[in-house]
């Protein structure tokens, strides 16, 4: 058990180092940092002195070590575009993206899991066919079109919900949250649904496949023969065993949520990390791009680490295998 | 004989699947429209002289105040919507298909080699694939685009937009091909005909491309269809985000981005007609992909 956790931790650290290396290469080799920092009138001698002062002539490995060390200390350098510390720029945007992503995930699970169970238990039902057809179309409609459609229906035609921005936010110890005001929730609803739809179809399909698989197993047939009430059979015996894949889904979908939050944030002008990343691509703001990657990778690794630990907590078989 | 029966069976299934037939018909119509755009289209949206601002913001023919010359109306510049869409679809399909071709050549090549040689080469290719699979395609494409902006000199950047975009999409889609080709190659490697070919001392390239490749085409064709839809969607998304193509050579995604500006005013057609067009195109291709998967994998249904 301890060995398993240590091994996973070690792997996570390795992934983070790889991403940090990618970010470092971006910063070091895509464009020259010195030309970005200095103006046209800076003399060549001054440029060389700056290069020496910043340690850009040092050996590559040494530079990378310093880069990683600075990152660990929370020093992420400065943006080429705004000249502000990247750490401040990114951290002020994290709450918006995380709240959007988490609410989208919750929507996708709250709708996707029951829909998956239902379509698995009633494979020939009319409603099942309708749901499956809808998801096929849902997968084919790009995220930004779903966003535009929601804006058009609920924002423009009905005028019920705001179409851009975060609405009212509350500061809680440096965390700017929109979860404590009705206004904030109203602004959050459309982007979260937009982001959740694609994940929802994935969740539903996976839960459906898993549930159908479990329903065919011997222990379910045995329980059926024993006369366990159907309700109890479905929700206690079968669903409990589909929970492991569902947790995997959360881990896998996190990457998708973050990536598509770039699109969603762009449609709704949601002031999160994705919008910042888009701007930094447009202006070739390499430090921000690099740090965005590192931060995303960090969340990704963290979520997957938690997911792996949850497996052990949920599935007793994994613990037994470990002992033997 | 078996190949013929399989073909026959596929055709038979096709004739009996109305969804697949309608999808194929729509996809073929759009493809034809895109290919023959320069001859069908009323105006050339790239040629400023062929349209005039006086025709701007005309609604589609069935609404009041329209000009019957422009069936689906015009945009704010006076460009005929049908012409813009045909040219846009042309660009989207060109980028989608070339990106798909690059991804397929790269992915199938690497996958075949990984399956054939196994060992360390296989491990390296598959680790790279795993890492990339953890990143969603859109993030990869955005990143490649951003790097290209940093590396390429500003002067030639505009001219290379299409190439950069195509490459970014191709590099984010090759993984599917590589994994499928590798898995199928592994299966074929144990068969006698491959063993015989290797034993006869045939060149590895010949074994891979002449013997193995024809036998793994089925699953690859399915991936191709599904990934064509992904490629078109990726291009549309990137152009919509303003990262893809500039406004003077609009693809479907760019048209939708331009149309967004009219979301709050009354000119709905500038936004919704390209949007519907894109969705119909992608849904048709996806339905065809689902159909092909069922044909090549009878166990699934």
């Amino acid at each position: 058990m301890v060995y398993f956790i240590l091994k996973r931790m070690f792997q996570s650290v390795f992934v983070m180092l790889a991403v940090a290396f990618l970010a470092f290469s971006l910063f070091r080799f895509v464009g020259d940092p010195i030309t970005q920092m200095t103006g046209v009138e800076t003399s060549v001698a001054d440029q060389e002195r700056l290069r020496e002062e910043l340690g850009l002539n040092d050996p590559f490995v040494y530079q990378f070590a310093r880069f990683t060390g600075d990152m660990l200390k929370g020093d992420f350098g400065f943006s080429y575009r705004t000249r502000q510390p990247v750490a401040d720029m990114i951290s002020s945007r994290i709450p918006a993206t995380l709240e959007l992503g988490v609410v989208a995930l919750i929507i996708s699970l709250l709708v996707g899991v029951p829909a998956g169970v239902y379509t698995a238990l009633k494979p020939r039902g009319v409603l099942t066919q309708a749901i499956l057809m809808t998801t096929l179309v849902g997968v084919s409609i790009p995220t930004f079109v779903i966003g535009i459609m929601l804006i058009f229906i609920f924002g423009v035609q009905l005028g019920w919900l705001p179409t851009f921005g975060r609405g009212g936010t509350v500061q809680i110890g440096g965390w700017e949250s929109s979860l404590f005001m009705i206004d904030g929730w109203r602004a959050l609803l459309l982007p979260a649904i937009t982001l959740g739809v694609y994940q929802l179809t994935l969740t539903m399909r996976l839960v459906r496949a898993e549930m159908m698989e479990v329903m065919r197993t011997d222990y379910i047939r045995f329980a059926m023969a024993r006369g366990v009430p159907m309700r109890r059979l479905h929700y206690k015996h079968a669903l409990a065993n589909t929970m492991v894949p569902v947790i995997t889904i959360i881990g896998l979908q996190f990457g998708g949520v973050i990536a598509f939050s770039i699109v969603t944030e762009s449609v709704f002008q949601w002031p999160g990390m994705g919008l910042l990343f888009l701007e930094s691509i447009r202006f070739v703001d390499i430090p921000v791009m690099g740090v965005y990657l590192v931060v995303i990778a960090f969340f990704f690794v963290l979520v997957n680490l938690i997911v792996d630990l949850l497996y052990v907590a949920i599935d007793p078989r994994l613990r037994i295998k470990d002992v033997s | 004989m078996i190949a013929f029966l399989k073909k026959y069976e596929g055709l038979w299934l096709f004739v009996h699947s109305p969804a697949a037939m309608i999808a194929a018909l729509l996809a073929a119509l759009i493809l034809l429209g895109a290919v023959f755009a320069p001859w069908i289209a009323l105006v050339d949206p790239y040629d400023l002289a062929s349209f005039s601002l006086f025709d701007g913001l005309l609604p589609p023919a069935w609404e009041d105040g329209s000009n019957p010359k422009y069936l689906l109306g015009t945009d704010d510049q006076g460009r005929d919507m049908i012409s813009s869409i045909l040219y846009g679809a042309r660009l989207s399909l060109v980028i989608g298909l070339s990106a798909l071709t690059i991804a397929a050549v790269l992915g199938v090549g690497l996958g075949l080699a990984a399956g054939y040689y196994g060992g360390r080469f296989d491990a390296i290719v598959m680790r790279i694939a795993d890492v990339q699979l953890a990143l969603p395609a859109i993030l990869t494409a955005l990143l490649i685009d951003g790097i290209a902006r940093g590396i390429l000199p500003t002067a030639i950047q505009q001219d290379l937009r299409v190439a950069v975009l195509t490459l970014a999409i191709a590099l984010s889609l090759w993984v599917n091909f590589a994994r499928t080709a590798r898995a199928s190659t592994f299966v074929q490697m144990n068969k006698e005909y491959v063993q015989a070919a290797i034993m006869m001392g045939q060149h590895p390239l010949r074994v891979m491309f002449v013997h193995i490749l024809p036998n793994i085409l089925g699953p690859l064709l399915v991936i191709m269809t599904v990934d064509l839809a992904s490629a078109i969607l990726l291009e549309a998304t990137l152009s919509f985000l303003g990262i893809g193509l500039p406004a003077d050579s609009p693809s479907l995604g760019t048209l939708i981005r331009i149309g967004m500006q009219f979301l709050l005013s009354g000119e709905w057609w500038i936004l919704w007609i390209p949007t519907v067009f894109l969705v119909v195109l992608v849904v048709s291709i996806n339905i065809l992909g689902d159909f092909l998967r069922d044909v090549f994998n009878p166990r699934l249904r």
Side-chain angles (χ1 to χ4, degrees):
Chain A
M1 183 68 194
V2 176
Y3 171 73
F4 172 74
I5 296 175
L6 278 178
K7 200 175 130 196
R8 284 293 290 117
M9 298 279 237
F10 180 74
Q11 279 175 353
S12 309
V13 170
F14 182 77
V15 171
M16 283 313 296
L17 270 179
V19 175
F21 183 74
L22 183 69
F24 171 69
S25 320
L26 266 180
F27 175 69
R28 193 62 193 79
F29 299 115
V30 177
D32 183 9
I34 294 293
T35 25
Q36 291 285 347
M37 281 179 234
T38 56
V40 244
E41 61 275 9
T42 319
S43 70
V44 179
D46 281 346
Q47 283 190 10
E48 274 312 310
R49 213 187 54 232
L50 188 62
R51 197 179 293 273
E52 192 63 40
E53 262 172 32
L54 291 173
L56 291 172
N57 290 332
D58 293 346
F60 182 78
V61 182
Y62 190 69
Q63 283 191 43
F64 178 55
R66 198 168 42 210
F67 177 84
T68 317
D70 284 348
M71 281 223 161
L72 287 177
K73 277 185 278 174
D75 176 6
F76 293 107
F78 289 84
S79 155
Y80 288 161
R81 183 166 58 99
T82 61
R83 313 274 157 186
Q84 286 173 330
V86 180
D88 294 354
M89 287 172 74
I90 297 250
S91 63
S92 70
R93 301 283 194 122
I94 287 179
T97 296
L98 275 192
E99 283 181 358
L100 177 64
V102 168
V103 173
L105 261 185
I106 291 174
I107 291 177
S108 107
L109 290 177
L110 277 186
V111 184
V113 173
V117 170
Y118 179 85
T119 51
L121 294 180
K122 292 199 167 54
R124 302 251 172 265
V126 179
L127 188 58
T128 300
Q129 296 302 322
I131 293 176
L132 290 181
M133 197 61 214
T134 316
T135 55
L136 181 69
V137 177
V139 169
S140 308
I141 298 181
T143 312
F144 66 91
V145 170
I146 293 175
I148 297 173
M149 276 174 14
L150 288 177
I151 288 182
F152 186 70
I153 297 171
F154 295 102
V156 181
Q157 292 291 321
L158 298 171
W160 289 350
L161 296 165
T163 55
F164 63 90
R166 282 188 84 185
T169 54
V170 183
Q171 284 277 354
I172 300 170
W175 181 281
E176 200 183 353
S177 174
S178 48
L179 300 180
F180 297 94
M181 281 174 90
I182 294 179
D183 198 34
W185 272 102
R186 275 163 43 94
L188 182 61
L189 210 53
L190 289 187
I193 293 175
T194 307
L195 189 53
V197 164
Y198 185 75
Q199 311 301 328
L200 193 160
T201 56
L202 283 185
T203 312
M204 202 205 83
R205 283 176 171 217
L206 279 168
V207 169
R208 176 170 186 263
E210 196 62 32
M211 190 79 178
M212 286 172 104
E213 195 77 18
V214 171
M215 288 305 286
R216 272 199 292 268
T217 53
D218 287 342
Y219 78 92
I220 291 288
R221 283 161 183 266
F222 177 68
M224 237 181 241
R226 216 165 35 138
V228 174
M230 280 318 242
R231 223 187 156 69
R232 193 178 149 78
L233 184 88
H234 289 157
Y235 293 99
K236 190 152 187 327
H237 296 236
L239 191 60
N241 279 288
T242 60
M243 281 327 277
V244 173
V246 168
I247 290 195
T248 322
I249 297 169
I250 300 178
L252 286 176
Q253 286 194 344
F254 188 75
V257 165
I258 291 296
F260 284 104
S261 80
I262 299 174
V263 181
T264 311
E265 286 177 15
S266 170
V267 176
F268 290 92
Q269 291 300 303
W270 185 263
M273 284 192 289
L275 207 56
L276 183 68
F277 181 59
L278 264 186
E279 285 161 13
S280 68
I281 286 185
R282 226 168 267 151
F283 293 95
V284 201
D285 194 348
I286 301 289
V288 179
M289 279 166 69
V291 175
Y292 174 84
L293 271 190
V294 172
V295 170
I296 292 301
F298 177 73
F299 282 127
F300 197 74
V301 163
L302 194 70
V303 167
N304 278 295
L305 191 65
I306 296 172
V307 163
D308 274 4
L309 296 181
L310 273 180
Y311 277 158
V312 186
I314 286 184
D315 195 338
R317 282 170 301 182
L318 290 175
R319 266 171 288 178
I320 294 166
K321 206 188 284 169
D322 211 41
V323 172
S324 65
Chain B
M1 185 66 190
I2 291 167
F4 174 72
L5 267 181
K6 235 182 185 168
K7 234 179 226 166
Y8 183 73
E9 193 196 344
L11 213 63
W12 191 82
L13 284 173
F14 181 71
V15 177
H16 286 79
S17 163
M21 282 210 292
I22 294 173
L25 185 71
L26 286 174
L29 273 180
I30 293 175
L31 188 69
L32 283 177
V35 169
F36 294 107
W39 294 277
I40 307 173
L42 216 51
V43 300
D44 177 359
Y46 307 141
D47 181 11
L48 288 171
S50 71
F51 50 88
S52 102
L53 274 175
F54 294 113
D55 292 334
L57 298 178
L58 287 172
W62 59 87
E63 298 226 331
D64 290 341
S66 63
N67 181 341
K69 191 177 152 202
Y70 305 113
L71 263 184
L72 294 179
T74 59
D75 66 6
D76 56 332
Q77 305 287 319
R79 275 184 292 228
D80 171 40
M81 285 308 290
I82 298 181
S83 311
S84 296
I85 288 175
L86 287 180
Y87 273 92
R90 189 180 162 90
L91 200 53
S92 292
L93 281 169
V94 165
I95 293 176
L97 285 172
S98 11
L100 190 73
T101 312
I102 299 172
V105 170
L106 187 70
V108 172
L110 282 174
L112 268 175
Y116 183 87
Y117 291 111
R120 190 174 292 169
F121 180 73
D122 175 44
I124 293 172
V125 172
M126 284 304 118
R127 281 301 81 70
I128 298 174
D130 282 349
V131 171
Q132 206 183 319
L133 217 58
L135 289 176
I138 182 153
L139 200 59
T140 318
L142 277 173
L143 208 64
I144 294 170
D145 197 282
I147 294 172
R149 274 164 199 262
I151 293 176
L152 296 173
T154 342
I156 55 167
Q157 247 179 39
Q158 284 301 323
D159 306 329
L160 287 177
R161 287 307 313 146
V162 173
V164 168
L165 192 60
T166 308
L167 202 66
I169 296 170
L171 288 182
S172 46
L173 290 180
W174 69 276
V175 179
N176 275 342
F177 286 102
R179 287 168 67 99
T180 312
R182 169 182 175 268
S184 313
T185 307
F186 266 140
V187 176
Q188 301 296 323
M189 282 303 283
N190 292 325
K191 298 214 169 143
E192 281 174 2
Y193 78 96
V194 176
Q195 293 299 329
I198 295 174
M199 218 79 88
M200 280 162 67
Q202 288 194 350
H203 194 271
L205 282 178
R206 191 176 157 81
V207 179
M208 279 188 243
F209 287 97
V210 178
H211 296 293
I212 300 178
L213 185 59
N215 287 295
I216 61 171
L217 272 183
L220 288 178
L221 197 65
V222 177
I223 299 273
M224 271 204 141
T225 329
V226 176
D227 272 12
L228 176 61
S230 312
I232 291 174
L233 274 189
L234 256 179
E235 186 278 320
T237 307
L238 291 177
S239 295
F240 174 78
L241 293 177
I243 297 292
L245 296 168
D248 57 358
S249 53
S251 72
L252 287 177
T254 326
L255 288 178
I256 297 172
R257 179 163 59 99
I258 296 170
M260 266 292 266
Q261 296 158 10
F262 299 93
L263 184 64
L264 298 176
S265 53
E267 293 86 9
W268 56 270
W269 60 92
I270 303 178
L271 171 62
W272 291 113
I273 292 175
T275 308
V276 168
F277 201 81
L278 175 71
V279 171
V280 168
L281 178 62
V282 175
V283 171
S284 305
I285 297 174
N286 271 339
I287 290 176
L288 280 180
D290 265 23
F291 170 77
L292 282 180
R293 185 166 51 211
D294 291 352
V295 170
F296 284 111
N297 202 346
R299 266 170 305 154
L300 282 179
R301 195 93 251 258

